[in-house]
Amino acid sequence: MRAALGKETSAMKFVLEYPSELPAASDAFLRPEVIRAVVTAAEESGFSAVALSEHPAPSLKWRRNGGHNTLDPVAALSFMAGVTARIRLLTNLYVLPFRNPYLSAKALGSLDIVSGGRLIAGVGAGYLRAEFAAVGVVHERRAELLDEALGALRRIWIEPEKPFEGRDFAAPGPLWLQAPAQRPHPPIWIGGNGPAALRRVVQHGDGWMPIIAGADMAAAMRTKAIENPDQFGDGVSALRRRLAAAGRDPDSVDVQVVCPHLDFADPSTVRTALAYLDDLEKRGAAWAVVHVDGSSPAAAANFIRTFGNVVIADR
């Protein structure tokens, strides 16, 4: 597959999931000096992007059952942009149904501007019912709101002066909005495993972000299960067929997966993980999200540098 920036042919690219997203990560990863050290280590080690998810109001129950610390992704990624020069900034995922599309377009577009065009807008529907209640959005409308927001986001970015009207909002006349740095707009990557996600990628997306996981995790995230590489490959093939049928180049859309666990003290786990990634790459994966050692900032930085030397430099 070809990468979102420049669409050049290349080996698989790697995304650092910022370590605060790990359930057992300490609060130290929220300190600005630690954020700076971790993300600069990732850039120096060859990571192509750094990612943060979005949970503006997660429940205590979610946190105690495997959830994690959260930062506002636009705020945190903007800080990361200011202490780096090249690494891409990925929202993984930004929940479009939480807010008016104009607010999403402004926030994400501003991040693209202040980073010099480094945003990858990974977006999705969200899944935590209690979180939707907390922000005042009807959970059952999330799919409808995501579809509306995707169309609105692209229109607002491409033609910012033209008013857009949705079911619950309407701009009454011409607007004065800054276009994002990337034209026609930042890459939009869409999360989800089911047919609706593939439809959205074909209609609006530059990337697909499926989750390869068991049925229980898929059910918790309210998506279709993709449980193994064969099912993943079937999904990529289906996406490519639908892109071709819609008159789009199948190679213009990136596909992201999650890198399996690596224990650098155990060479067998490294060989197994790399073989798994090679298999997924042959089936169409172009990017992989990496979960590093989150036991401490020093351990995370060491893992990042080792991953760069052992995995990235060898590809």
Side-chain angles (χ1 to χ4, degrees):
M1 301 297 269
R2 294 184 290 177
L5 181 61
K7 300 291 189 286
E8 74 274 14
T9 300
S10 60
M12 179 174 281
K13 293 177 171 57
F14 293 96
V15 180
L16 169 68
E17 181 178 76
Y18 186 70
S20 66
E21 305 268 305
L22 297 168
S26 76
D27 291 347
F29 286 104
L30 305 180
R31 298 204 305 261
E33 66 274 17
V34 173
I35 296 172
R36 180 185 294 107
V38 170
V39 74
T40 54
E43 183 170 72
E44 292 166 359
S45 299
F47 280 80
S48 296
V50 58
L52 283 168
S53 65
E54 179 180 44
H55 285 289
S59 68
L60 183 60
K61 178 182 177 181
W62 174 81
R63 180 65 177 96
R64 288 174 173 171
N65 288 309
H68 51 80
N69 284 335
T70 65
L71 291 166
D72 178 89
V74 172
L77 291 172
S78 293
F79 177 86
M80 293 175 185
V83 299
T84 58
R86 301 178 306 278
I87 198 165
R88 302 298 298 265
L89 309 158
L90 171 63
T91 53
N92 185 22
L93 296 166
Y94 192 79
V95 183
L96 289 177
F98 281 162
R99 59 185 64 78
N100 179 296
Y102 275 109
L103 296 177
S104 297
K106 185 70 171 183
L108 293 170
S110 295
L111 172 54
D112 196 52
I113 290 170
V114 302
S115 68
R118 287 188 274 155
L119 170 67
I120 300 173
V123 301
Y127 65 96
L128 292 175
R129 185 178 295 273
E131 193 165 25
F132 274 83
V135 300
V137 178
V138 177
H139 182 261
E140 288 73 18
R141 292 189 63 199
R142 65 192 188 282
E144 165 206 341
L145 292 171
L146 176 58
D147 284 330
E148 179 180 73
L150 282 167
L153 191 64
R154 294 178 72 242
R155 258 282 305 277
I156 293 166
W157 279 344
I158 293 171
E159 301 177 299
E161 73 285 352
K162 290 189 177 181
F164 190 92
E165 179 176 345
R167 177 175 167 180
D168 303 312
F169 67 95
L175 302 171
W176 178 251
L177 298 173
Q178 291 75 39
Q182 297 178 81
R183 304 302 291 156
H185 56 74
I188 298 172
W189 292 7
I190 298 170
N193 289 1
L198 297 185
R199 170 181 57 78
R200 291 174 181 127
V201 174
V202 172
Q203 291 178 336
H204 304 291
D206 305 289
W208 181 38
M209 309 169 77
I211 296 293
I212 303 175
D216 289 345
M217 179 178 286
M221 300 183 70
R222 304 180 189 276
T223 192
K224 176 184 175 182
I226 295 178
E227 300 189 73
N228 54 58
D230 286 339
Q231 292 179 4
F232 167 74
D234 290 342
V236 174
S237 295
L239 174 61
R240 292 176 66 84
R241 289 194 300 270
R242 293 179 68 162
L243 287 165
R248 296 189 59 189
D249 177 4
D251 289 334
S252 68
V253 172
D254 283 309
V255 179
Q256 177 183 270
V257 293
V258 176
C259 179
H261 172 72
L262 290 91
D263 178 359
F264 289 112
D266 181 358
S268 66
T269 71
V270 177
R271 288 193 297 270
T272 299
L274 296 184
Y276 179 82
L277 284 178
D278 287 342
D279 184 30
L280 294 184
E281 187 172 12
K282 291 173 184 175
R283 297 174 190 266
W287 295 68
V289 175
V290 180
H291 302 153
V292 305
D293 184 345
S295 58
S296 71
N302 182 63
F303 187 103
I304 287 166
R305 294 190 177 96
T306 303
F307 191 96
N309 291 330
V310 173
V311 180
I312 297 176
D314 196 43
R315 298 185 72 85

PDB file of all heavy atoms in Angstrom, residues 31 44 57 79 84 89 106 124 126 151 155 168 187 190 199 228 234 243 260 269:
ATOM      1  N   ARG A  31       3.188  14.454  32.122  1.00  0.00           N
ATOM      2  CA  ARG A  31       4.021  15.625  32.383  1.00  0.00           C
ATOM      3  C   ARG A  31       4.641  16.133  31.076  1.00  0.00           C
ATOM      4  O   ARG A  31       5.078  15.333  30.236  1.00  0.00           O
ATOM      5  CB  ARG A  31       5.122  15.301  33.385  1.00  0.00           C
ATOM      6  CG  ARG A  31       4.599  14.883  34.757  1.00  0.00           C
ATOM      7  CD  ARG A  31       5.639  15.129  35.846  1.00  0.00           C
ATOM      8  NE  ARG A  31       6.911  14.474  35.562  1.00  0.00           N
ATOM      9  CZ  ARG A  31       7.287  13.304  36.093  1.00  0.00           C
ATOM     10  NH1 ARG A  31       6.472  12.649  36.908  1.00  0.00           N
ATOM     11  NH2 ARG A  31       8.468  12.794  35.804  1.00  0.00           N
ATOM     12  N   GLU A  44      13.219  10.428  16.490  1.00  0.00           N
ATOM     13  CA  GLU A  44      14.615  10.078  16.219  1.00  0.00           C
ATOM     14  C   GLU A  44      14.783   8.602  15.875  1.00  0.00           C
ATOM     15  O   GLU A  44      15.727   8.235  15.153  1.00  0.00           O
ATOM     16  CB  GLU A  44      15.467  10.430  17.445  1.00  0.00           C
ATOM     17  CG  GLU A  44      15.581  11.926  17.690  1.00  0.00           C
ATOM     18  CD  GLU A  44      16.118  12.243  19.075  1.00  0.00           C
ATOM     19  OE1 GLU A  44      16.378  11.278  19.847  1.00  0.00           O
ATOM     20  OE2 GLU A  44      16.280  13.434  19.390  1.00  0.00           O
ATOM     21  N   ALA A  57     -14.996  12.151  28.476  1.00  0.00           N
ATOM     22  CA  ALA A  57     -15.697  11.936  29.746  1.00  0.00           C
ATOM     23  C   ALA A  57     -15.929  10.448  29.996  1.00  0.00           C
ATOM     24  O   ALA A  57     -17.075  10.000  30.145  1.00  0.00           O
ATOM     25  CB  ALA A  57     -17.027  12.693  29.744  1.00  0.00           C
ATOM     26  N   PHE A  79       0.888  20.117  21.241  1.00  0.00           N
ATOM     27  CA  PHE A  79       2.127  20.234  22.023  1.00  0.00           C
ATOM     28  C   PHE A  79       3.227  19.391  21.387  1.00  0.00           C
ATOM     29  O   PHE A  79       4.370  19.842  21.231  1.00  0.00           O
ATOM     30  CB  PHE A  79       1.875  19.790  23.461  1.00  0.00           C
ATOM     31  CG  PHE A  79       3.108  19.802  24.324  1.00  0.00           C
ATOM     32  CD1 PHE A  79       3.501  20.955  24.979  1.00  0.00           C
ATOM     33  CD2 PHE A  79       3.892  18.661  24.467  1.00  0.00           C
ATOM     34  CE1 PHE A  79       4.643  20.974  25.771  1.00  0.00           C
ATOM     35  CE2 PHE A  79       5.034  18.666  25.251  1.00  0.00           C
ATOM     36  CZ  PHE A  79       5.416  19.837  25.908  1.00  0.00           C
ATOM     37  N   THR A  84       8.601  18.678  17.874  1.00  0.00           N
ATOM     38  CA  THR A  84       9.100  17.777  16.835  1.00  0.00           C
ATOM     39  C   THR A  84       9.098  18.505  15.498  1.00  0.00           C
ATOM     40  O   THR A  84       8.594  19.625  15.384  1.00  0.00           O
ATOM     41  CB  THR A  84       8.239  16.508  16.734  1.00  0.00           C
ATOM     42  OG1 THR A  84       6.876  16.891  16.465  1.00  0.00           O
ATOM     43  CG2 THR A  84       8.294  15.689  18.019  1.00  0.00           C
ATOM     44  N   LEU A  89       0.973  13.243  13.159  1.00  0.00           N
ATOM     45  CA  LEU A  89       0.144  13.345  14.354  1.00  0.00           C
ATOM     46  C   LEU A  89      -1.206  12.716  14.050  1.00  0.00           C
ATOM     47  O   LEU A  89      -1.976  13.228  13.234  1.00  0.00           O
ATOM     48  CB  LEU A  89      -0.003  14.814  14.750  1.00  0.00           C
ATOM     49  CG  LEU A  89       1.343  15.547  14.837  1.00  0.00           C
ATOM     50  CD1 LEU A  89       1.154  17.048  14.702  1.00  0.00           C
ATOM     51  CD2 LEU A  89       2.069  15.195  16.125  1.00  0.00           C
ATOM     52  N   LYS A 106     -12.647  22.881  12.768  1.00  0.00           N
ATOM     53  CA  LYS A 106     -11.790  23.950  13.280  1.00  0.00           C
ATOM     54  C   LYS A 106     -10.649  23.384  14.111  1.00  0.00           C
ATOM     55  O   LYS A 106      -9.475  23.776  13.934  1.00  0.00           O
ATOM     56  CB  LYS A 106     -12.622  24.906  14.132  1.00  0.00           C
ATOM     57  CG  LYS A 106     -11.864  26.137  14.619  1.00  0.00           C
ATOM     58  CD  LYS A 106     -11.555  27.076  13.462  1.00  0.00           C
ATOM     59  CE  LYS A 106     -11.011  28.401  13.967  1.00  0.00           C
ATOM     60  NZ  LYS A 106     -10.775  29.348  12.846  1.00  0.00           N
ATOM     61  N   GLY A 124     -13.872   8.113  14.145  1.00  0.00           N
ATOM     62  CA  GLY A 124     -14.770   6.985  14.324  1.00  0.00           C
ATOM     63  C   GLY A 124     -16.048   7.404  15.013  1.00  0.00           C
ATOM     64  O   GLY A 124     -16.279   8.588  15.289  1.00  0.00           O
ATOM     65  N   GLY A 126     -17.216   6.179  18.067  1.00  0.00           N
ATOM     66  CA  GLY A 126     -17.282   6.069  19.519  1.00  0.00           C
ATOM     67  C   GLY A 126     -18.120   4.875  19.930  1.00  0.00           C
ATOM     68  O   GLY A 126     -18.843   4.285  19.107  1.00  0.00           O
ATOM     69  N   GLY A 151     -19.166  13.812   5.750  1.00  0.00           N
ATOM     70  CA  GLY A 151     -19.464  14.639   4.590  1.00  0.00           C
ATOM     71  C   GLY A 151     -19.223  16.108   4.863  1.00  0.00           C
ATOM     72  O   GLY A 151     -18.664  16.835   4.026  1.00  0.00           O
ATOM     73  N   ARG A 155     -16.306  18.808   3.163  1.00  0.00           N
ATOM     74  CA  ARG A 155     -16.816  20.021   2.524  1.00  0.00           C
ATOM     75  C   ARG A 155     -16.262  21.272   3.180  1.00  0.00           C
ATOM     76  O   ARG A 155     -15.857  22.231   2.499  1.00  0.00           O
ATOM     77  CB  ARG A 155     -18.347  20.033   2.594  1.00  0.00           C
ATOM     78  CG  ARG A 155     -19.065  19.642   1.312  1.00  0.00           C
ATOM     79  CD  ARG A 155     -19.088  20.769   0.283  1.00  0.00           C
ATOM     80  NE  ARG A 155     -19.664  21.984   0.839  1.00  0.00           N
ATOM     81  CZ  ARG A 155     -20.965  22.239   0.917  1.00  0.00           C
ATOM     82  NH1 ARG A 155     -21.842  21.336   0.488  1.00  0.00           N
ATOM     83  NH2 ARG A 155     -21.399  23.374   1.418  1.00  0.00           N
ATOM     84  N   ASP A 168     -29.070  19.095  12.641  1.00  0.00           N
ATOM     85  CA  ASP A 168     -29.202  19.869  13.881  1.00  0.00           C
ATOM     86  C   ASP A 168     -28.472  21.202  13.841  1.00  0.00           C
ATOM     87  O   ASP A 168     -28.362  21.869  14.865  1.00  0.00           O
ATOM     88  CB  ASP A 168     -28.657  19.049  15.063  1.00  0.00           C
ATOM     89  CG  ASP A 168     -29.342  17.706  15.204  1.00  0.00           C
ATOM     90  OD1 ASP A 168     -30.580  17.673  15.158  1.00  0.00           O
ATOM     91  OD2 ASP A 168     -28.630  16.691  15.351  1.00  0.00           O
ATOM     92  N   PRO A 187      -5.383  13.740   5.477  1.00  0.00           N
ATOM     93  CA  PRO A 187      -5.894  12.380   5.287  1.00  0.00           C
ATOM     94  C   PRO A 187      -6.920  12.037   6.363  1.00  0.00           C
ATOM     95  O   PRO A 187      -6.712  12.328   7.548  1.00  0.00           O
ATOM     96  CB  PRO A 187      -4.647  11.505   5.418  1.00  0.00           C
ATOM     97  CG  PRO A 187      -3.501  12.414   5.164  1.00  0.00           C
ATOM     98  CD  PRO A 187      -3.913  13.765   5.643  1.00  0.00           C
ATOM     99  N   ILE A 190     -10.540   6.037   8.786  1.00  0.00           N
ATOM    100  CA  ILE A 190     -11.813   5.704   9.419  1.00  0.00           C
ATOM    101  C   ILE A 190     -11.710   4.363  10.125  1.00  0.00           C
ATOM    102  O   ILE A 190     -11.240   3.377   9.551  1.00  0.00           O
ATOM    103  CB  ILE A 190     -12.949   5.704   8.370  1.00  0.00           C
ATOM    104  CG1 ILE A 190     -13.083   7.118   7.777  1.00  0.00           C
ATOM    105  CG2 ILE A 190     -14.262   5.232   8.980  1.00  0.00           C
ATOM    106  CD1 ILE A 190     -14.002   7.204   6.580  1.00  0.00           C
ATOM    107  N   ARG A 199     -17.899   1.139   3.726  1.00  0.00           N
ATOM    108  CA  ARG A 199     -18.646   2.117   2.926  1.00  0.00           C
ATOM    109  C   ARG A 199     -18.133   3.524   3.178  1.00  0.00           C
ATOM    110  O   ARG A 199     -17.932   4.313   2.232  1.00  0.00           O
ATOM    111  CB  ARG A 199     -20.134   2.032   3.261  1.00  0.00           C
ATOM    112  CG  ARG A 199     -20.964   3.172   2.659  1.00  0.00           C
ATOM    113  CD  ARG A 199     -22.431   3.082   3.037  1.00  0.00           C
ATOM    114  NE  ARG A 199     -22.660   3.076   4.462  1.00  0.00           N
ATOM    115  CZ  ARG A 199     -22.630   4.164   5.244  1.00  0.00           C
ATOM    116  NH1 ARG A 199     -22.323   5.354   4.720  1.00  0.00           N
ATOM    117  NH2 ARG A 199     -22.889   4.075   6.532  1.00  0.00           N
ATOM    118  N   ASN A 228      -8.600 -12.862  12.886  1.00  0.00           N
ATOM    119  CA  ASN A 228      -7.333 -13.455  12.461  1.00  0.00           C
ATOM    120  C   ASN A 228      -6.890 -12.836  11.131  1.00  0.00           C
ATOM    121  O   ASN A 228      -7.660 -12.111  10.481  1.00  0.00           O
ATOM    122  CB  ASN A 228      -7.490 -14.980  12.327  1.00  0.00           C
ATOM    123  CG  ASN A 228      -8.647 -15.362  11.427  1.00  0.00           C
ATOM    124  OD1 ASN A 228      -8.699 -14.964  10.258  1.00  0.00           O
ATOM    125  ND2 ASN A 228      -9.597 -16.133  11.958  1.00  0.00           N
ATOM    126  N   ASP A 234      -9.469 -10.817   4.012  1.00  0.00           N
ATOM    127  CA  ASP A 234     -10.765 -10.769   3.321  1.00  0.00           C
ATOM    128  C   ASP A 234     -11.338  -9.358   3.351  1.00  0.00           C
ATOM    129  O   ASP A 234     -11.915  -8.883   2.359  1.00  0.00           O
ATOM    130  CB  ASP A 234     -11.746 -11.744   3.978  1.00  0.00           C
ATOM    131  CG  ASP A 234     -11.384 -13.202   3.736  1.00  0.00           C
ATOM    132  OD1 ASP A 234     -10.590 -13.485   2.804  1.00  0.00           O
ATOM    133  OD2 ASP A 234     -11.898 -14.065   4.474  1.00  0.00           O
ATOM    134  N   LEU A 243     -13.505  -0.017  -3.644  1.00  0.00           N
ATOM    135  CA  LEU A 243     -12.833   1.185  -4.124  1.00  0.00           C
ATOM    136  C   LEU A 243     -12.761   1.191  -5.650  1.00  0.00           C
ATOM    137  O   LEU A 243     -13.047   2.210  -6.301  1.00  0.00           O
ATOM    138  CB  LEU A 243     -11.423   1.267  -3.538  1.00  0.00           C
ATOM    139  CG  LEU A 243     -11.328   1.630  -2.058  1.00  0.00           C
ATOM    140  CD1 LEU A 243      -9.929   1.325  -1.529  1.00  0.00           C
ATOM    141  CD2 LEU A 243     -11.659   3.104  -1.830  1.00  0.00           C
ATOM    142  N   PRO A 260       1.707  -6.707  17.258  1.00  0.00           N
ATOM    143  CA  PRO A 260       1.612  -7.583  18.429  1.00  0.00           C
ATOM    144  C   PRO A 260       2.696  -7.287  19.450  1.00  0.00           C
ATOM    145  O   PRO A 260       3.671  -6.589  19.162  1.00  0.00           O
ATOM    146  CB  PRO A 260       1.778  -8.986  17.827  1.00  0.00           C
ATOM    147  CG  PRO A 260       2.534  -8.775  16.566  1.00  0.00           C
ATOM    148  CD  PRO A 260       2.104  -7.428  16.046  1.00  0.00           C
ATOM    149  N   THR A 269       9.721 -14.067  20.723  1.00  0.00           N
ATOM    150  CA  THR A 269       8.534 -13.221  20.582  1.00  0.00           C
ATOM    151  C   THR A 269       8.743 -12.179  19.495  1.00  0.00           C
ATOM    152  O   THR A 269       7.796 -11.812  18.787  1.00  0.00           O
ATOM    153  CB  THR A 269       8.176 -12.520  21.902  1.00  0.00           C
ATOM    154  OG1 THR A 269       9.136 -11.504  22.202  1.00  0.00           O
ATOM    155  CG2 THR A 269       8.071 -13.506  23.048  1.00  0.00           C
TER     156      THR A 269
END
